[in-house]
Amino acid sequence: MKKKSDVLGELPELQEAVAAVCRTVPSEAWARQIRAHARELVRALKHPDHPLDVGDGLADVLGRDSLQAYERLALVGELRDRGPVRPTSEATGERALRGDGAAAARARP
């Protein structure tokens, strides 16, 4: 079975920021969550309802408008890469993780 290519490669600046942040987190599980949300952000950038795309700069991608559009798409399930589109339950804590991951990426060295 052929492994899918990593969509983070489509936005190298984000990929580098994520790698830097993941080196500082206390666990591999946390790093996996950060990488998963970064991949989801790339999928958002490729979505027709997102105001930016993968060609935009990292500062714009991590800006308020971009992250709000990402969150809206994620909460309605538009960014899932497995299974049918369905709304995300905020009770799962994913919304908080997205916010933490975005904040960590913005605070990169």
Side-chain angles (χ1 to χ4, degrees):
M1 180 174 179
K2 186 178 177 184
K3 188 175 179 179
K4 293 191 300 187
S5 65
D6 189 349
V7 296
L8 275 176
E10 296 180 41
L11 193 56
E13 198 176 6
L14 177 62
Q15 188 175 33
E16 291 169 18
V18 166
V21 168
C22 286
R23 286 192 292 272
T24 68
V25 298
S27 72
E28 178 55 30
W30 193 351
R32 278 192 307 272
Q33 284 295 315
I34 291 169
R35 287 189 296 268
H37 291 297
R39 288 182 185 104
E40 192 177 58
L41 176 57
V42 173
R43 287 193 301 277
L45 293 168
K46 296 166 75 174
H47 193 282
D49 291 340
H50 196 282
L52 301 178
D53 62 38
V54 293
D56 289 302
L58 187 59
D60 292 330
V61 166
L62 294 177
R64 171 179 266 175
D65 292 342
S66 174
L67 293 179
Q68 286 177 336
Y70 157 60
E71 183 176 49
R72 279 191 305 274
L73 290 167
L75 288 174
V76 297
E78 286 290 325
L79 305 178
R80 294 182 180 278
D81 65 345
R82 291 181 253 177
V85 170
R86 68 183 194 282
T88 298
S89 167
E90 290 185 44
T92 65
E94 289 187 40
R95 184 176 187 171
L97 285 171
R98 282 188 189 89
D100 290 348
R106 285 193 302 269
R108 72 191 184 285

XYZ file of all heavy atoms in Angstrom:
827
model
N 0.838 -1.163 0.000
C 0.000 0.000 0.000
C 0.894 1.241 0.000
O 1.782 1.389 0.831
C -0.903 -0.024 1.235
C -1.818 1.134 1.332
S -2.904 0.806 2.764
C -3.839 2.264 2.720
N 0.653 2.138 -0.929
C 1.457 3.334 -1.058
C 1.017 4.375 -0.026
O -0.162 4.648 0.131
C 1.328 3.910 -2.469
C 2.238 5.071 -2.718
C 2.103 5.575 -4.140
C 2.983 6.775 -4.322
N 2.837 7.372 -5.631
N 2.004 4.949 0.669
C 1.710 5.966 1.668
C 1.412 7.294 0.973
O 2.082 7.684 0.031
C 2.917 6.124 2.598
C 2.662 7.005 3.772
C 3.870 7.013 4.697
C 3.596 7.934 5.858
N 4.705 7.959 6.794
N 0.367 8.006 1.463
C 0.028 9.309 0.904
C 1.149 10.300 1.211
O 1.784 10.221 2.257
C -1.274 9.845 1.512
C -2.506 9.071 1.162
C -3.779 9.789 1.552
C -3.880 10.066 3.022
N -5.181 10.621 3.425
N 1.348 11.247 0.300
C 2.345 12.270 0.565
C 1.827 13.207 1.662
O 0.619 13.397 1.825
C 2.666 13.055 -0.704
O 1.528 13.766 -1.140
N 2.744 13.781 2.404
C 2.389 14.663 3.507
C 2.036 16.038 2.958
O 2.862 16.704 2.339
C 3.561 14.759 4.471
C 3.210 15.472 5.760
O 2.124 16.079 5.851
O 4.036 15.430 6.685
N 0.793 16.486 3.189
C 0.344 17.777 2.670
C 1.126 18.937 3.278
O 1.141 20.028 2.704
C -1.176 18.003 2.860
C -1.993 17.013 2.065
C -1.560 18.012 4.323
N 1.793 18.725 4.409
C 2.601 19.797 4.988
C 3.711 20.227 4.030
O 4.143 21.379 4.070
C 3.218 19.373 6.323
C 2.358 19.559 7.546
C 3.051 19.017 8.785
C 1.986 21.003 7.741
N 4.129 19.321 3.168
C 5.156 19.648 2.181
C 4.710 20.726 1.204
O 5.541 21.359 0.537
N 3.409 20.974 1.127
C 2.893 22.002 0.228
C 3.083 23.411 0.794
O 2.919 24.396 0.074
C 1.414 21.747 -0.062
C 1.186 20.440 -0.800
C -0.266 20.187 -1.097
O -0.970 21.144 -1.466
O -0.697 19.028 -0.943
N 3.408 23.494 2.058
C 3.639 24.781 2.718
C 4.897 24.622 3.586
O 4.825 24.488 4.801
C 2.421 25.171 3.552
C 2.320 26.589 4.063
C 2.404 27.610 2.938
C 1.028 26.778 4.812
N 6.087 24.639 2.948
C 7.331 24.359 3.669
C 7.577 25.249 4.886
O 8.112 24.793 5.897
C 8.418 24.578 2.614
C 7.717 24.400 1.308
C 6.310 24.869 1.527
N 7.176 26.500 4.825
C 7.377 27.409 5.957
C 6.589 26.923 7.180
O 7.091 26.951 8.306
C 6.952 28.820 5.546
C 7.483 29.908 6.433
C 7.123 31.296 5.942
O 6.354 31.448 4.962
O 7.593 32.243 6.570
N 5.368 26.459 6.963
C 4.571 25.899 8.056
C 5.194 24.593 8.535
O 5.279 24.346 9.741
C 3.122 25.670 7.620
C 2.203 25.028 8.662
C 2.073 25.903 9.906
C 0.827 24.749 8.057
N 5.650 23.782 7.616
C 6.274 22.505 7.971
C 7.483 22.730 8.879
O 7.656 22.036 9.880
C 6.685 21.766 6.698
C 7.173 20.360 6.927
C 7.438 19.646 5.607
O 7.847 20.254 4.625
N 7.193 18.360 5.597
N 8.297 23.724 8.559
C 9.463 24.034 9.385
C 9.042 24.539 10.767
O 9.636 24.159 11.782
C 10.330 25.085 8.688
C 11.017 24.573 7.442
C 11.662 25.684 6.625
O 11.887 26.791 7.177
O 11.944 25.451 5.443
N 8.024 25.404 10.813
C 7.543 25.923 12.093
C 6.993 24.803 12.964
O 7.260 24.748 14.167
C 6.484 26.991 11.857
N 6.238 23.907 12.349
C 5.664 22.777 13.082
C 6.778 21.883 13.625
O 6.736 21.462 14.785
C 4.679 21.984 12.194
C 4.325 20.635 12.799
C 3.421 22.810 11.953
N 7.782 21.621 12.817
C 8.900 20.783 13.273
C 9.603 21.432 14.465
O 9.940 20.752 15.441
C 9.884 20.551 12.129
N 9.788 22.749 14.408
C 10.440 23.457 15.514
C 9.601 23.373 16.786
O 10.126 23.113 17.875
C 10.684 24.916 15.130
N 8.302 23.570 16.656
C 7.416 23.501 17.825
C 7.384 22.081 18.376
O 7.453 21.883 19.596
C 6.001 23.994 17.468
C 5.008 23.666 18.572
C 6.010 25.486 17.185
N 7.323 21.098 17.503
C 7.234 19.705 17.957
C 8.478 19.264 18.727
O 8.390 18.380 19.581
C 6.959 18.779 16.774
S 5.257 18.902 16.183
N 9.606 19.892 18.448
C 10.821 19.560 19.205
C 10.740 20.055 20.650
O 11.524 19.619 21.494
C 12.053 20.148 18.517
C 12.456 19.408 17.253
C 13.832 19.829 16.753
N 13.857 21.205 16.263
C 13.571 21.589 15.020
N 13.233 20.675 14.129
N 13.643 22.849 14.668
N 9.810 20.957 20.950
C 9.741 21.547 22.293
C 8.610 20.995 23.152
O 8.546 21.331 24.333
C 9.566 23.078 22.191
O 8.273 23.376 21.663
C 10.641 23.705 21.325
N 7.727 20.195 22.584
C 6.580 19.716 23.362
C 6.980 18.530 24.229
O 7.932 17.821 23.925
C 5.369 19.386 22.457
C 4.903 20.626 21.723
C 5.682 18.273 21.492
N 6.237 18.301 25.309
C 6.639 17.274 26.268
C 6.374 15.823 25.852
O 6.874 14.919 26.515
C 5.817 17.621 27.516
C 4.650 18.399 27.017
C 5.114 19.105 25.787
N 5.596 15.598 24.793
C 5.315 14.206 24.432
C 5.129 14.056 22.926
O 4.769 15.014 22.235
C 4.063 13.690 25.152
O 2.903 14.291 24.602
N 5.350 12.850 22.455
C 5.127 12.546 21.032
C 3.651 12.645 20.690
O 3.291 13.037 19.585
C 5.684 11.164 20.684
C 5.462 10.749 19.241
C 6.005 11.744 18.197
O 6.999 12.431 18.469
O 5.403 11.828 17.099
N 2.779 12.307 21.635
C 1.338 12.413 21.383
C 0.956 13.870 21.091
O 0.175 14.139 20.177
C 0.545 11.891 22.584
N 1.508 14.796 21.829
C 1.229 16.205 21.614
C 1.777 16.633 20.252
O 1.106 17.343 19.493
C 1.847 17.026 22.731
C 1.385 18.461 22.811
C 0.614 19.141 21.901
C 1.668 19.385 23.841
N 0.420 20.436 22.308
C 1.058 20.608 23.503
C 2.397 19.308 25.020
C 1.158 21.742 24.307
C 2.481 20.441 25.807
C 1.857 21.635 25.453
N 2.967 16.179 19.927
C 3.561 16.498 18.626
C 2.692 15.956 17.485
O 2.491 16.643 16.472
C 4.977 15.934 18.536
N 2.168 14.747 17.634
C 1.279 14.182 16.604
C 0.036 15.046 16.428
O -0.414 15.272 15.304
C 0.872 12.747 16.961
C 1.904 11.710 16.587
C 1.343 10.285 16.674
N 0.725 9.977 17.947
C 1.362 9.494 19.016
N 2.660 9.265 18.962
N 0.719 9.236 20.125
N -0.528 15.531 17.532
C -1.710 16.389 17.450
C -1.393 17.697 16.727
O -2.174 18.158 15.896
C -2.251 16.702 18.858
C -3.005 15.570 19.482
C -4.284 15.264 18.715
O -5.028 16.150 18.333
N -4.537 13.989 18.482
N -0.253 18.284 17.029
C 0.150 19.529 16.366
C 0.314 19.292 14.871
O -0.185 20.077 14.051
C 1.439 20.092 16.995
C 1.139 20.593 18.415
C 2.026 21.210 16.123
C 2.374 20.925 19.225
N 0.987 18.201 14.508
C 1.172 17.888 13.075
C -0.168 17.626 12.396
O -0.405 18.069 11.270
C 2.122 16.705 12.905
C 3.578 17.044 13.194
C 4.531 15.921 12.815
N 4.319 14.710 13.586
C 4.958 14.410 14.715
N 5.859 15.217 15.216
N 4.705 13.280 15.334
N -1.073 16.934 13.085
C -2.395 16.643 12.505
C -3.170 17.933 12.249
O -3.799 18.095 11.199
C -3.184 15.719 13.428
N -3.129 18.852 13.183
C -3.853 20.111 13.006
C -3.199 20.984 11.942
O -3.895 21.694 11.215
C -4.019 20.842 14.330
C -4.969 20.129 15.248
N -6.295 19.946 14.935
C -4.771 19.531 16.440
C -6.876 19.268 15.917
N -5.980 19.001 16.820
N -1.884 20.921 11.830
C -1.207 21.663 10.766
C -1.616 21.111 9.398
O -1.855 21.873 8.458
C 0.308 21.590 10.952
N -1.720 19.793 9.289
C -2.176 19.184 8.029
C -3.613 19.601 7.724
O -3.969 19.862 6.582
C -2.070 17.663 8.110
C -0.656 17.161 8.078
C -0.598 15.640 8.118
N 0.776 15.223 8.215
C 1.340 14.783 9.343
N 0.640 14.654 10.454
N 2.615 14.443 9.350
N -4.422 19.663 8.766
C -5.804 20.093 8.605
C -5.843 21.549 8.125
O -6.666 21.910 7.275
C -6.528 19.939 9.940
C -8.019 20.074 9.854
C -8.673 19.837 11.201
O -8.340 20.548 12.179
O -9.523 18.934 11.273
N -4.946 22.382 8.639
C -4.866 23.772 8.190
C -4.511 23.836 6.708
O -5.085 24.632 5.965
C -3.848 24.544 9.031
C -3.578 25.993 8.621
C -4.849 26.834 8.619
C -2.530 26.603 9.558
N -3.602 22.990 6.262
C -3.262 22.957 4.830
C -4.488 22.560 4.014
O -4.778 23.163 2.979
C -2.063 22.020 4.547
C -1.841 21.859 3.049
C -0.798 22.545 5.222
N -5.241 21.562 4.495
C -6.475 21.185 3.794
C -7.447 22.355 3.749
O -8.136 22.570 2.749
C -7.116 19.950 4.430
C -6.353 18.665 4.141
C -7.136 17.406 4.487
N -7.530 17.314 5.882
C -6.746 16.867 6.868
N -5.511 16.476 6.599
N -7.197 16.803 8.098
N -7.511 23.143 4.829
C -8.379 24.319 4.845
C -7.950 25.314 3.777
O -8.789 25.892 3.079
C -8.348 24.983 6.224
N -6.652 25.515 3.637
C -6.139 26.456 2.643
C -6.483 26.019 1.223
O -6.553 26.852 0.318
C -4.628 26.614 2.788
C -4.160 27.302 4.070
C -2.659 27.142 4.248
C -4.566 28.756 4.085
N -6.705 24.745 1.037
C -7.062 24.216 -0.281
C -8.578 24.185 -0.498
O -9.037 23.888 -1.589
C -6.465 22.813 -0.435
C -4.932 22.839 -0.414
C -4.319 21.479 -0.238
C -4.402 20.688 -1.492
N -3.689 19.413 -1.418
N -9.339 24.526 0.530
C -10.803 24.502 0.462
C -11.298 25.783 -0.208
O -10.799 26.875 0.093
C -11.383 24.365 1.869
C -12.816 24.019 1.890
N -13.812 24.950 1.658
C -13.444 22.847 2.120
C -14.986 24.362 1.749
N -14.791 23.077 2.032
N -12.294 25.682 -1.082
C -12.783 26.883 -1.790
C -13.394 27.941 -0.873
O -13.452 29.119 -1.253
C -13.826 26.338 -2.766
C -14.190 24.985 -2.265
C -12.993 24.471 -1.511
N -13.823 27.583 0.330
C -14.414 28.553 1.246
C -13.385 29.250 2.139
O -13.754 30.071 2.970
C -15.482 27.899 2.121
C -16.709 27.494 1.328
O -16.910 28.045 0.223
O -17.454 26.626 1.798
N -12.119 28.911 1.980
C -11.078 29.578 2.773
C -10.543 30.763 1.977
O -10.319 30.644 0.774
C -9.940 28.610 3.110
C -9.070 29.118 4.202
N -8.116 30.086 3.999
C -9.031 28.816 5.524
C -7.517 30.350 5.147
N -8.054 29.592 6.093
N -10.340 31.924 2.630
C -9.923 33.121 1.895
C -8.482 33.098 1.383
O -8.127 33.892 0.512
C -10.103 34.246 2.926
C -9.955 33.568 4.254
C -10.554 32.190 4.050
N -7.648 32.208 1.896
C -6.254 32.125 1.472
C -5.990 30.786 0.805
O -6.860 29.916 0.766
C -5.326 32.295 2.681
C -5.453 33.600 3.466
C -4.513 33.595 4.657
C -5.197 34.795 2.577
N -4.769 30.610 0.323
C -4.378 29.305 -0.215
C -2.934 29.016 0.175
O -2.285 29.832 0.825
C -4.603 29.220 -1.731
C -3.784 30.207 -2.525
O -2.612 30.457 -2.174
O -4.301 30.713 -3.522
N -2.428 27.861 -0.239
C -1.101 27.430 0.182
C 0.012 28.328 -0.349
O 1.134 28.264 0.138
C -0.817 25.951 -0.183
C -1.710 25.024 0.603
C -0.916 25.718 -1.659
N -0.287 29.197 -1.290
C 0.716 30.114 -1.818
C 0.903 31.362 -0.972
O 1.827 32.141 -1.204
N 0.052 31.559 0.020
C 0.153 32.745 0.865
C 1.207 32.548 1.950
O 1.528 31.424 2.333
C -1.206 33.075 1.489
C -2.185 33.611 0.458
O -1.863 34.635 -0.171
O -3.242 33.004 0.266
N 1.729 33.652 2.452
C 2.777 33.612 3.467
C 2.288 33.105 4.809
O 1.105 33.211 5.146
N 3.230 32.598 5.590
C 2.896 32.004 6.879
C 2.252 33.014 7.830
O 1.320 32.671 8.557
C 4.135 31.385 7.523
C 3.898 30.583 8.801
C 2.937 29.431 8.555
C 5.213 30.078 9.362
N 2.714 34.256 7.826
C 2.111 35.259 8.712
C 0.631 35.430 8.397
O -0.194 35.531 9.316
C 2.850 36.588 8.580
N 0.276 35.434 7.117
C -1.138 35.545 6.743
C -1.904 34.266 7.090
O -3.032 34.324 7.569
C -1.282 35.856 5.254
C -0.793 37.248 4.904
O -0.888 38.154 5.765
O -0.313 37.432 3.781
N -1.287 33.120 6.840
C -1.930 31.829 7.132
C -2.249 31.703 8.619
O -3.277 31.153 8.999
C -1.034 30.661 6.649
C -1.475 29.333 7.226
C -1.014 30.612 5.129
N -1.364 32.242 9.477
C -1.580 32.160 10.917
C -2.289 33.396 11.466
O -2.436 33.538 12.682
C -0.240 31.957 11.640
C 0.448 30.625 11.342
C 1.794 30.564 12.048
C -0.409 29.439 11.688
N -2.765 34.246 10.590
C -3.505 35.433 11.005
C -4.914 35.092 11.459
O -5.450 34.017 11.172
N -5.510 36.040 12.149
C -6.834 35.833 12.741
C -7.889 35.390 11.724
O -8.605 34.418 11.947
C -7.299 37.104 13.431
C -8.754 37.021 13.878
C -9.191 38.257 14.575
N -8.978 37.965 15.979
C -9.154 38.819 16.949
N -9.497 40.037 16.689
N -8.991 38.453 18.197
N -8.012 36.110 10.599
C -9.051 35.777 9.618
C -8.873 34.370 9.062
O -9.830 33.621 8.903
C -9.078 36.795 8.478
C -9.541 38.173 8.932
O -10.160 38.276 10.009
O -9.257 39.146 8.209
N -7.623 34.023 8.775
C -7.339 32.695 8.245
C -7.684 31.609 9.257
O -8.328 30.604 8.920
C -5.856 32.598 7.861
O -5.527 31.286 7.472
N -7.273 31.802 10.507
C -7.540 30.786 11.524
C -9.017 30.688 11.875
O -9.518 29.606 12.174
C -6.693 31.048 12.773
C -5.188 30.872 12.567
C -4.442 31.180 13.862
C -4.834 29.492 12.043
N -9.733 31.801 11.797
C -11.181 31.733 12.020
C -11.872 30.960 10.898
O -12.778 30.167 11.160
C -11.761 33.140 12.160
C -11.429 33.779 13.487
C -11.933 35.201 13.603
O -12.145 35.895 12.608
N -12.098 35.665 14.825
N -11.434 31.171 9.656
C -11.996 30.415 8.531
C -11.663 28.927 8.688
O -12.516 28.058 8.462
C -11.454 30.946 7.205
N -10.441 28.634 9.089
C -10.028 27.246 9.344
C -10.912 26.615 10.405
O -11.437 25.509 10.231
C -8.551 27.235 9.754
C -8.111 26.039 10.562
C -8.209 24.748 10.064
C -7.576 26.201 11.829
C -7.787 23.657 10.807
C -7.152 25.114 12.573
C -7.266 23.853 12.060
O -6.845 22.777 12.796
N -11.106 27.328 11.503
C -11.924 26.775 12.583
C -13.357 26.516 12.127
O -13.934 25.476 12.441
C -11.918 27.718 13.785
C -12.691 27.142 14.964
C -12.627 28.013 16.186
O -12.876 29.228 16.076
O -12.350 27.463 17.263
N -13.935 27.452 11.371
C -15.307 27.248 10.869
C -15.379 25.986 10.014
O -16.299 25.178 10.165
C -15.765 28.457 10.047
C -16.266 29.615 10.874
C -16.952 30.679 10.025
N -16.121 31.189 8.941
C -15.248 32.185 9.060
N -15.078 32.792 10.217
N -14.547 32.600 8.028
N -14.431 25.813 9.109
C -14.435 24.629 8.237
C -14.243 23.350 9.052
O -14.891 22.334 8.795
C -13.349 24.755 7.174
C -13.596 25.805 6.097
C -12.321 26.050 5.289
C -14.733 25.372 5.191
N -13.357 23.410 10.036
C -13.091 22.225 10.857
C -14.305 21.835 11.688
O -14.652 20.654 11.787
C -11.888 22.489 11.758
N -14.968 22.821 12.268
C -16.103 22.520 13.143
C -17.280 21.905 12.401
O -18.052 21.148 12.988
C -16.539 23.773 13.898
C -15.575 24.222 14.998
C -16.025 25.550 15.595
C -15.431 23.166 16.078
N -17.426 22.214 11.115
C -18.523 21.601 10.350
C -18.081 20.305 9.672
O -18.856 19.682 8.970
C -19.160 22.581 9.336
C -19.792 23.754 10.063
C -18.171 23.034 8.291
N -16.821 19.922 9.882
C -16.341 18.644 9.372
C -15.830 18.659 7.947
O -15.569 17.604 7.371
N -15.638 19.842 7.369
C -15.199 19.935 5.974
C -13.747 19.520 5.759
O -13.337 19.294 4.625
C -15.374 21.376 5.467
C -16.795 21.761 5.200
C -17.381 21.053 3.988
O -16.664 20.819 3.014
O -18.574 20.733 4.041
N -12.967 19.417 6.812
C -11.537 19.160 6.658
C -11.130 17.734 6.982
O -9.961 17.398 6.947
C -10.744 20.148 7.534
C -11.055 21.614 7.270
C -10.258 22.501 8.208
C -10.795 21.978 5.816
N -12.106 16.894 7.264
C -11.790 15.507 7.590
C -11.122 14.821 6.399
O -11.545 15.002 5.266
C -13.054 14.750 7.976
C -13.663 15.248 9.266
C -14.881 14.420 9.625
N -15.474 14.895 10.848
C -15.040 14.572 12.062
N -14.031 13.762 12.205
N -15.633 15.075 13.128
N -10.093 14.038 6.690
C -9.459 13.303 5.603
C -9.858 11.833 5.598
O -9.455 11.080 4.736
C -7.938 13.464 5.625
C -7.284 12.864 6.854
O -8.002 12.562 7.831
O -6.057 12.716 6.841
N -10.678 11.449 6.575
C -11.213 10.077 6.629
C -12.686 10.145 6.994
O -13.081 10.939 7.833
C -10.487 9.250 7.680
C -9.067 8.948 7.321
C -8.445 8.111 8.387
N -7.529 8.989 9.117
C -6.831 8.639 10.155
N -6.961 7.445 10.658
N -6.021 9.478 10.738
N -13.445 9.326 6.362
C -14.865 9.241 6.688
C -15.668 10.388 6.106
O -15.124 11.288 5.473
N -16.954 10.342 6.347
C -17.848 11.368 5.786
C -17.712 12.706 6.515
O -17.268 12.765 7.661
C -19.241 10.775 6.008
C -19.082 9.910 7.215
C -17.685 9.344 7.123
N -18.130 13.759 5.830
C -18.172 15.076 6.452
C -19.223 15.042 7.544
O -20.355 14.634 7.315
C -18.509 16.160 5.398
C -18.790 17.492 6.073
C -17.398 16.283 4.381
N -18.823 15.426 8.746
C -19.761 15.541 9.858
C -19.186 16.550 10.839
O -17.965 16.695 10.946
C -20.017 14.200 10.522
C -18.853 13.611 11.265
C -19.205 12.234 11.835
N -18.267 11.787 12.807
C -17.072 11.267 12.539
N -16.676 11.136 11.292
N -16.267 10.883 13.506
N -20.044 17.262 11.540
C -19.570 18.285 12.476
C -18.672 17.701 13.561
O -18.858 16.570 14.000
C -20.850 18.849 13.094
C -21.915 18.532 12.107
C -21.504 17.227 11.470
N -17.718 18.490 13.970
C -16.828 18.116 15.058
C -17.497 18.469 16.373
O -18.064 19.541 16.511
C -15.497 18.884 14.944
O -14.875 18.515 13.732
C -14.571 18.589 16.100
N -17.412 17.579 17.329
C -17.948 17.851 18.655
C -16.933 18.681 19.425
O -15.781 18.284 19.582
C -18.199 16.543 19.397
O -18.429 16.795 20.760
N -17.351 19.849 19.897
C -16.452 20.669 20.698
C -16.102 19.967 22.006
O -15.073 20.269 22.609
C -17.074 22.039 20.960
C -17.122 22.880 19.704
C -17.624 24.269 19.968
O -17.196 24.873 20.969
O -18.433 24.743 19.172
N -16.916 19.027 22.422
C -16.659 18.306 23.663
C -15.403 17.447 23.563
O -14.841 17.063 24.583
C -17.856 17.434 24.018
N -14.943 17.175 22.353
C -13.742 16.353 22.207
C -12.484 17.119 22.562
O -11.422 16.532 22.698
C -13.601 15.832 20.760
O -13.393 16.957 19.896
C -14.794 15.030 20.330
N -12.595 18.431 22.655
C -11.425 19.236 22.983
C -10.619 19.628 21.766
O -9.601 20.285 21.871
N -11.075 19.220 20.577
C -10.309 19.533 19.377
C -10.212 21.035 19.152
O -9.197 21.527 18.697
C -10.915 18.848 18.161
C -10.687 17.359 18.181
C -11.130 16.689 16.899
O -10.898 17.273 15.841
O -11.680 15.602 16.989
N -11.262 21.751 19.494
C -11.223 23.205 19.302
C -10.092 23.800 20.143
O -9.335 24.640 19.675
C -12.565 23.810 19.673
C -12.625 25.286 19.421
C -14.006 25.815 19.712
N -14.085 27.203 19.297
C -15.179 27.885 19.255
N -16.322 27.320 19.573
N -15.166 29.138 18.896
N -9.964 23.357 21.368
C -8.898 23.870 22.232
C -7.531 23.480 21.696
O -6.594 24.278 21.703
C -9.078 23.340 23.652
N -7.403 22.250 21.208
C -6.126 21.819 20.650
C -5.742 22.639 19.430
O -4.591 22.992 19.245
C -6.174 20.328 20.270
C -6.111 19.364 21.434
C -6.396 17.950 20.946
C -4.769 19.431 22.112
N -6.714 22.957 18.572
C -6.427 23.786 17.405
C -5.888 25.137 17.854
O -4.921 25.632 17.314
C -7.677 23.976 16.550
C -7.998 22.801 15.715
C -9.140 23.108 14.749
N -9.528 21.860 14.141
C -10.446 21.044 14.636
N -11.126 21.368 15.698
N -10.717 19.916 14.031
N -6.522 25.713 18.839
C -6.077 27.009 19.332
C -4.679 26.925 19.916
O -3.833 27.770 19.661
N -4.402 25.887 20.709
C -3.082 25.713 21.299
C -2.030 25.496 20.219
O -0.932 26.027 20.298
C -3.060 24.517 22.255
C -3.854 24.759 23.531
O -4.232 25.920 23.797
O -4.104 23.779 24.250
N -2.364 24.697 19.221
C -1.408 24.426 18.147
C -1.113 25.675 17.343
O 0.041 25.953 17.001
N -2.120 26.466 17.069
C -1.916 27.707 16.311
C -1.088 28.689 17.135
O -0.184 29.336 16.626
C -3.254 28.330 15.923
N -1.369 28.766 18.433
C -0.609 29.664 19.301
C 0.856 29.218 19.376
O 1.772 30.035 19.330
C -1.225 29.706 20.698
N 1.066 27.923 19.450
C 2.440 27.406 19.502
C 3.182 27.719 18.210
O 4.343 28.104 18.227
C 2.423 25.901 19.761
N 2.503 27.569 17.088
C 3.141 27.860 15.797
C 3.491 29.349 15.683
O 4.544 29.702 15.173
C 2.244 27.427 14.653
N 2.597 30.203 16.184
C 2.876 31.639 16.126
C 4.034 32.012 17.031
O 4.741 32.978 16.780
C 1.633 32.440 16.515
C 0.581 32.474 15.439
C -0.480 33.516 15.724
N -1.144 33.312 17.008
C -2.244 32.586 17.164
N -2.815 31.990 16.141
N -2.795 32.456 18.362
N 4.249 31.249 18.081
C 5.302 31.559 19.048
C 6.632 30.883 18.711
O 7.544 30.905 19.504
C 4.846 31.124 20.441
N 6.737 30.350 17.540
C 7.947 29.621 17.153
C 9.167 30.530 17.229
O 9.067 31.724 17.091
C 7.779 29.040 15.744
C 7.833 30.120 14.682
C 7.409 29.592 13.329
N 7.569 30.617 12.346
C 6.794 31.671 12.182
N 5.769 31.859 12.978
N 7.012 32.547 11.239
N 10.370 29.927 17.415
C 11.597 30.721 17.503
C 11.960 31.384 16.192
O 11.555 31.037 15.152
C 12.656 29.713 17.912
C 12.058 28.353 17.758
C 10.595 28.516 17.604
